[in-house]
Amino acid sequence: MKITIIIIVLSILLVIYIIKRAVDYHKDQIAILKRKIELEQKKAEKNLEKLQNRKDTIKRITGNMSEGVVMLDANADIVSANASALNIFDIKDEIKGVNIIELLRELKLLEYAHKAVEGETSDALMNRNGRIYDVRFSPSQGASQPRGAILLFLDITEKHESEKLRREFSANVSHELKTPLTNISGNAEMLAAGVVSEADKPEFYNRIYDESRRMTTLVDDIMYLSRLDEKSELREKESVNLYEILSEVKKNLSEKAEKGNVSIAICETDFSVTGDRNMLYELFFNLIENAVKYNVDGGKVEVIAAKNIVTISDTGIGIPEESLPFIFDRFYRVDRSRSKKTGGTGLGLAIVKHIAALHNAEISVKSVVSTGTKIYIVFN
Ligand code: ADP
């Protein structure tokens, strides 16, 4: 009986011991698990912080970009848009979550945005509020990233305009050179074919000479203008006495003025300008030559240089009001045949405009048809 009791007690003690060990074991396991969970939680917090930092860095970078940046998710909904993008689309409200269809209303652009989400890169032009943008559509998914797209909007308005101007200029140059070339070859061909009488020959030779001179002047002006195009500022500057320059221009134009029975008067002045002597000579030569060329028999040209303003007045044919906005454009002439007769290239005032800009001078024109023209150059 005693033994039985002892065995039972021992068995109970054994069971208690086993239970305690089991509980201790699980307690250890739970502690290990708890530590693991805590570690994972810390890791996740760190990753989240890293992600937030990365997001902030992207926001900071894109926020300072002049290009518009729009990020899309897999549904082509906007995830983020930087300040420039909001400006381009004139958006003041929250844009996150809005579908790209709200920004890009053109079908082709929308199609490219969806293709970018699917993994295809594209490029297209977009017109918005009078500006031209080059839009780059790129997929944004990587190994660890969900699908999406990045849209980059580059403002290329100025580049586009200057390319257009360059294309127009080249087309005009070809056209302008073609006319004298055609005339030269036409006249030379007739001379070579022996169909011109001896009496008419001098006229043909003169025409060939005149046209080739026209071409030389044209090429000189084009080259001068393209040299000016390359300059964004004056490299060499000196103090230039305007009276000296104006007197030199008058002397060199005296023959032309006499031929047209036009008088040139220059009012004496001590006015000096800081700039490029040769360019300033070219500027005043072109303006005073025009005042002589587009004058009438017995007409007058008067040049006054006072304070920082030079005024060139003539009593010539004047410029119609509707032509005034265009006279500084390349190859623009009010009367093509009159300009051609006087050896004009239509580039004189374009050169003047360029030189004035390089000298920080402003030009304005007042003109009355059949009364005359006044040109003001204000040196700032
Ligand atoms: P062009 O070589 O034909 O003279 P410009 O560029 O110098 O070219 O001038 C452009 C046009 O402006 C001229 O063709 C002419 O019609 C007009 N113009 C310029 N200056 C005068 C002026 N003083 N009086 C009248 N017309 C002028």
Side-chain angles (χ1 to χ4, degrees):
M1 177 72 182
K2 228 177 177 184
I3 286 172
T4 316
I5 290 170
I6 286 168
I7 287 169
I8 291 170
V9 167
L10 277 176
S11 300
I12 291 169
L13 280 173
L14 189 68
V15 169
I16 290 171
Y17 174 75
I18 289 169
I19 290 172
K20 193 176 175 285
R21 283 296 303 268
V23 167
D24 283 350
Y25 173 77
H26 279 104
K27 252 190 193 165
D28 285 351
Q29 287 299 309
I30 287 167
I32 290 168
L33 207 67
K34 199 179 153 206
R35 226 175 304 135
K36 262 190 187 164
I37 290 171
E38 276 170 5
L39 273 174
E40 285 302 319
Q41 204 177 348
K42 267 192 190 141
K43 241 194 222 169
E45 272 169 13
K46 258 197 185 143
N47 278 345
L48 209 70
E49 201 183 303
K50 259 192 207 165
L51 268 175
Q52 189 58 42
N53 283 345
R54 225 184 276 171
K55 215 172 135 190
D56 287 348
T57 313
I58 293 174
K59 211 170 174 184
R60 236 177 295 127
I61 295 171
T62 57
N64 289 323
M65 276 169 75
S66 54
E67 294 85 5
V69 182
V70 175
M71 296 191 195
L72 305 182
D73 65 12
N75 300 319
D77 288 339
I78 295 165
V79 177
S80 73
N82 70 349
S84 299
L86 298 182
N87 252 342
I88 294 170
F89 294 101
D90 218 3
I91 289 165
K92 287 172 187 74
D93 313 324
E94 177 60 49
I95 187 98
K96 212 172 151 186
V98 171
N99 195 270
I100 192 66
I101 196 166
E102 298 288 328
L103 296 195
L104 308 177
R105 297 202 179 118
E106 261 176 74
L107 265 178
K108 196 180 80 188
L109 300 179
L110 268 176
E111 192 189 313
Y112 286 159
H114 284 283
K115 276 188 176 167
V117 172
E118 299 301 324
E120 206 176 296
T121 307
S122 316
D123 206 332
L125 288 184
M126 175 184 90
N127 282 298
R128 184 63 60 130
N129 297 330
R131 314 274 316 160
I132 301 160
Y133 298 92
D134 179 2
V135 193
R136 312 240 163 111
F137 303 85
S138 317
S140 69
Q141 69 256 45
S144 59
Q145 272 176 302
R147 276 191 314 150
I150 298 177
L151 276 50
L152 192 68
F153 299 83
L154 303 147
D155 190 336
I156 54 157
T157 316
E158 274 74 34
K159 196 175 145 216
H160 202 260
E161 286 299 309
S162 69
E163 270 169 16
K164 196 175 131 210
L165 281 179
R166 215 172 299 142
R167 273 198 303 273
E168 275 173 14
F169 184 57
S170 307
N172 277 330
V173 166
S174 320
H175 177 77
E176 295 286 337
L177 287 173
K178 218 174 149 195
T179 318
L181 256 178
T182 313
N183 288 341
I184 290 170
S185 69
N187 284 306
E189 218 177 301
M190 284 172 79
L191 284 167
V195 293
V196 184
S197 69
E198 277 309 309
D200 288 340
K201 269 184 185 169
E203 200 191 319
F204 276 72
Y205 291 132
N206 274 337
R207 265 191 238 152
I208 291 176
Y209 176 70
D210 285 348
E211 291 294 352
S212 46
R213 264 193 48 186
R214 232 172 83 73
M215 266 183 77
T216 315
T217 319
L218 197 62
V219 171
D220 284 347
D221 276 1
I222 291 165
M223 280 168 67
Y224 191 79
L225 203 51
S226 58
R227 278 203 302 276
L228 283 179
D229 275 342
E230 283 162 21
K231 288 192 172 71
S232 55
E233 59 181 61
L234 292 176
R235 247 177 255 142
E236 281 158 44
K237 283 187 202 169
E238 56 179 316
S239 176
V240 182
N241 184 307
L242 281 192
Y243 185 68
E244 273 172 32
I245 294 236
L246 294 170
S247 306
E248 207 181 324
V249 170
K250 179 182 169 179
K251 197 176 94 202
N252 293 337
L253 280 172
S254 60
E255 205 185 310
K256 207 172 215 167
E258 263 168 40
K259 249 192 208 164
N261 193 22
V262 174
S263 68
I264 305 176
I266 302 209
C267 299
E268 204 162 328
T269 172
D270 275 338
F271 175 17
S272 288
V273 166
T274 308
D276 183 303
R277 170 177 284 274
N278 293 334
M279 282 192 198
L280 288 167
Y281 174 86
E282 188 74 26
L283 179 143
F284 288 111
F285 185 91
N286 284 343
L287 290 175
I288 300 172
E289 189 191 29
N290 278 351
V292 171
K293 273 194 321 190
Y294 302 106
N295 220 313
V296 290
D297 186 33
K300 283 184 193 146
V301 176
E302 191 181 52
V303 186
I304 302 169
K307 286 192 186 155
N308 60 334
I309 305 171
V310 182
T311 314
I312 299 165
S313 323
D314 67 61
T315 55
I317 59 169
I319 303 164
E321 209 183 325
E322 63 274 16
S323 295
L324 282 175
F326 309 108
I327 57 167
F328 291 96
D329 290 354
R330 295 169 184 202
F331 296 115
Y332 182 84
R333 289 103 152 181
V334 176
D335 178 348
R336 195 159 266 273
S337 61
R338 176 158 185 153
S339 161
K340 198 180 152 190
K341 232 185 274 165
T342 50
T345 60
L347 292 175
L349 289 184
I351 290 173
V352 164
K353 185 176 139 190
H354 230 308
I355 297 176
L358 284 170
H359 285 81
N360 205 18
E362 277 159 39
I363 306 185
S364 51
V365 186
K366 274 190 190 151
S367 192
V368 179
V369 172
S370 307
T371 303
T373 303
K374 260 186 196 250
I375 299 203
Y376 305 88
I377 304 117
V378 183
F379 289 92
N380 297 307

